Amino acid sequence: MSRVVLEGLEFHARHGVYETEAALGARFVIDAELHWAFAGIPDELGAAVNYAAAYAAIREEVTGERHQLIEVLTDRIARRLLRDHPRLEAVTVRVHKPFAPLPGVFRDVYAELTLRQGELESGG
């Protein structure tokens, strides 16, 4: 399957369990893999999945409603992309929280979800 990848989208948002996360916010990094069959399409935006529109939807989900869990945010983004773009066969979304409040040295914490268009009805 072919895919278009939006990688390393950075936003300041206030997701998290702790009040300090709600008050101060933190950096969140989003990766979105948009799986759809684009081999042989005409060279016209109308024949494609508009990744600028996908970016706008991701930005809205990340910077809008606050969630305690990055797993919930990941699910919301994946479902929104599938709803907004019926050409998509599947999406894989990763929400990175590189400054998660953990008592140790770490490189990253992230939630990852792959959803297919047919799975959209369940949940959310």
Side-chain angles (χ1 to χ4, degrees), residues 77-93:
I77 293 168
R79 290 177 188 282
R80 168 81 181 267
L81 290 170
L82 288 172
R83 258 194 325 272
D84 287 0
H85 303 280
R87 280 192 176 97
L88 290 175
E89 297 169 28
V91 295
T92 297
V93 175

Side-chain angles (χ1 to χ4, degrees), residues 27-49:
R27 181 169 59 102
F28 291 83
V29 182
I30 313 301
D31 303 325
E33 299 179 11
L34 312 177
H35 298 271
W36 63 287
F38 59 78
I41 66 168
D43 191 17
E44 305 166 359
L45 182 57
V49 172

